[in-house]
Amino acid sequence: MVVGRWLRDRAVATPERVAIRFGDTTTTYAELHTAARALAAGLVERGIRHGDRVAVLTTNRPEHVEVLFACATAGLVLVPLNPRLTAPELAWQLDDSEPALLLTGPGQADLGAAAVAAAGRRVAPHPLTDRAAVHGDGPIGSAATDHDPLLLVYTSGTTGRPKGAVLTHANCFWTNLSLDRVVDVTTTDTVLQVLPQFHVGGWNVQPLLAWWKGATVVLEPDFDPARALTQIAAHRVTTMMGVPATYLFMAEEATFATTDLSSLRQAVVGGAPIAEKLLRTYHERGVALLQGYGLTEAAPNVLCLSAEHVADRLGFAGRPYPHVEVALRAADGTPVEGEGRGELCVRGPATFAGYWRNPEATAAAYDDGWLLTGDVAERDAEGFYRIVDRTTDLYVSGGETVYPAEVEAALAEHPDVVEVAVVGVPDDRWGEVGRAHVVRRAGATASAEELRASCRARLAGYKVPRDVVFVDELPRSAVGKVQKTALRRGDAS
């Protein structure tokens, strides 16, 4: 199960095959293995030992992949940091993870230095691209084992301080094996990676599987919708993964209708429910958007809608991956049997080892061996799941529970609506009422009352948002998820 073995085997079986395409450069499997092996040796020579953390602050780069496989070889733990955070935010994560080394990308040296200056932990930043200074040729020493930590990924921290989720080699093995048995990646595939490498999806939703299988990864430094479309056509990309915003922004590009997407046999979408209107847009272009669901603590793959059900299960997240068990439980903790709705719980070998140095939070995340996701799901008679909402996003209006995702889906059906986010806000009469934040299509003139009427034709009256606020854009996290906490505070433009 040790991830370092995956690359070593590939370097023997297909050494000349291209592992990474980054801009105008390519890296073969032999070159990637050689670089990762030399880096692992160099880290050991610097006194970094089994179980130590190596933090990386960068946008997506091939060198980051080398660090991941070096850590996987030497039994070290990769801490991928988000370069969109501020120095004080990064300082907190440095103090929490206590890395033995901080590697910074070409554009992040100043931010890294500022973060170190603000942290109590003094670790000298080192340029990620300065290979010669950190490579070695000596013995690696203690090798990694199946249950050693490999990734320490910090959650978004929308409910407080971010927590570091610890994923082991075994976690990564099982989640990638599960993914391959539903959303298979073949040795001849070309994978487009636009998700950031500080996010678990930047590793465990196709890239690591691609390197395990011997495929080629077109690695983008960041997500640019126009450039992504160009890359799909130029490199005949066959599969990719993104969040709903990824596909929305691509569809809004002027070149979307004329870009050759014929090579793209499947595209996975996760992170949040995707509007059915957007799903249909891609289906009309011949692209199967496979709705999935996961979370960092599950490494992350939990549910996926397989290709044969894409057309007849629009809006569903699908069934559990192999090697993944799921269940629903009611608000009082009792199991929900058969058709029904409740909090989604997950069990299996891919669920995380716990939160870094936070036993209380780890204990709260599990109940009798089940990982509590905090997401409300609905199960139909055939065992398909639809993610309804976050338990923290629900609001109660006049005694009735309202699921914002349901309201958003209704509003999104209006042709003038590009995207929408609904939150509950306090109300003296009803306790809480809905407030919709709507991004209109350029040149659109739909009024708030028109959108409320459109929503009223599809939903019960108590679900119709009282207020509709038009905004230029929705606040998003670094990975593209809408930040509803900011909307509740009124932080929207």
Side-chain angles (χ1 to χ4, degrees):
M1 299 182 192
V2 174
V3 172
R5 177 66 184 263
W6 303 0
L7 179 60
R8 189 174 73 206
D9 289 346
R10 268 296 139 202
V12 171
T14 55
E16 70 291 332
R17 190 172 291 167
V18 174
I20 301 173
R21 191 177 297 277
F22 182 75
D24 296 329
T25 67
T26 58
T27 305
T28 67
Y29 276 93
E31 291 168 339
L32 181 58
H33 172 63
T34 298
R37 172 64 178 74
L39 177 57
L43 294 176
V44 171
E45 289 173 11
R46 292 172 69 96
I48 300 176
R49 296 292 178 258
H50 192 281
D52 284 349
R53 277 75 59 207
V54 176
V56 181
L57 180 66
T58 183
T59 55
N60 292 356
R61 297 190 60 86
E63 295 89 351
H64 201 176
V65 182
E66 294 172 13
V67 179
L68 180 279
F69 281 111
C71 289
T73 299
L76 309 177
V77 186
L78 175 66
V79 185
L81 300 174
N82 181 355
R84 300 178 189 176
L85 297 180
T86 64
E89 290 171 314
L90 291 167
W92 187 91
Q93 294 183 12
L94 290 173
D95 284 338
D96 187 59
S97 61
E98 295 186 330
L101 179 66
L102 170 62
L103 298 169
T104 58
Q108 288 75 44
D110 290 344
L111 177 59
V116 169
R121 173 81 174 178
R122 288 292 177 259
V123 53
H126 187 87
L128 176 66
T129 54
D130 186 4
R131 289 181 171 92
V134 289
H135 280 192
D137 56 9
I140 293 175
S142 178
T145 64
D146 292 351
H147 297 289
D148 280 341
L150 174 60
L151 288 168
L152 175 54
V153 181
Y154 280 91
T155 61
S156 58
T158 56
T159 57
R161 286 284 195 185
K163 298 186 290 289
V166 176
L167 300 177
T168 66
H169 287 257
N171 293 153
C172 294
F173 171 88
W174 284 107
T175 200
N176 279 282
L177 183 63
S178 298
L179 179 69
D180 193 41
R181 292 187 171 180
V182 178
V183 187
D184 61 315
V185 173
T186 71
T187 58
T188 59
D189 270 323
T190 298
V191 177
L192 177 65
Q193 183 188 340
V194 296
L195 288 185
Q197 290 173 324
F198 61 78
H199 187 270
V200 68
W203 299 108
N204 278 338
V205 188
Q206 295 193 336
L208 269 180
L209 178 57
W211 293 314
W212 192 4
K213 300 294 285 290
T216 296
V217 174
V218 177
L219 182 62
E220 287 287 273
D222 49 31
F223 173 62
D224 177 273
R227 193 174 65 229
L229 289 169
T230 299
Q231 297 285 51
I232 291 170
H235 298 297
R236 305 297 295 164
V237 168
T238 57
T239 184
M240 64 178 291
M241 193 274 173
V243 296
T246 305
Y247 299 104
L248 172 65
F249 297 158
M250 287 169 60
E252 290 293 308
E253 282 293 317
T255 57
F256 178 76
T258 56
T259 298
D260 182 2
L261 301 179
S262 60
S263 64
L264 193 58
R265 63 181 176 86
Q266 64 183 13
V268 182
V269 56
I274 190 168
E276 293 184 20
K277 182 170 67 173
L278 186 56
L279 284 169
R280 290 193 293 270
T281 296
Y282 277 85
H283 291 176
E284 290 166 2
R285 290 295 328 271
V287 178
L289 272 190
L290 308 184
Q291 175 77 57
Y293 164 83
L295 66 160
T296 300
E297 291 85 348
N301 304 305
V302 176
L303 303 170
C304 188
L305 193 65
S306 54
E308 61 265 33
H309 294 293
V310 166
D312 63 352
R313 282 295 195 285
L314 286 176
F316 279 79
R319 289 167 167 158
Y321 281 101
H323 315 298
V324 177
E325 294 180 70
V326 299
L328 298 179
R329 72 173 196 171
D332 61 3
T334 58
V336 176
E337 305 295 342
E339 296 179 71
R341 177 180 284 186
E343 182 180 7
L344 187 69
C345 306
V346 183
R347 184 167 64 184
T351 58
F352 78 142
Y355 293 114
W356 175 253
R357 294 178 177 173
N358 195 337
E360 295 81 8
T362 301
Y366 281 99
D367 183 17
D368 194 27
W370 289 93
L371 174 64
L372 307 178
T373 68
D375 289 306
V376 179
E378 190 173 77
R379 180 174 55 218
D380 70 10
E382 295 180 293
F384 288 89
Y385 290 81
R386 180 199 295 269
I387 303 302
V388 178
D389 232 318
R390 289 287 299 167
T391 56
T392 53
D393 287 343
L394 310 183
Y395 62 92
V396 179
S397 185
E400 298 283 357
T401 300
V402 180
Y403 295 86
E406 182 182 22
V407 183
E408 290 161 1
L411 286 167
E413 288 296 316
H414 193 284
D416 284 359
V417 174
V418 174
E419 58 180 337
V420 57
V422 174
V423 297
V425 295
D427 181 78
D428 292 340
R429 183 175 184 183
W430 300 108
E432 289 179 293
V433 294
R435 183 173 66 206
H437 302 79
V438 175
V439 178
R440 284 181 292 195
R441 199 169 303 283
T445 59
S447 66
E449 189 49 46
E450 180 181 341
L451 295 182
R452 281 170 39 82
S454 176
C455 187
R456 192 178 295 111
R458 294 173 170 83
L459 299 175
Y462 70 88
K463 299 179 182 180
V464 177
R466 184 187 64 185
D467 302 316
V468 175
V469 179
F470 294 108
V471 297
D472 296 328
E473 60 183 11
L474 298 175
R476 296 186 182 279
S477 69
V479 79
K481 293 184 181 181
V482 174
Q483 295 182 308
K484 290 197 171 181
T485 303
L487 293 177
R488 292 187 192 97
R489 293 196 306 260
D491 300 345
S493 59

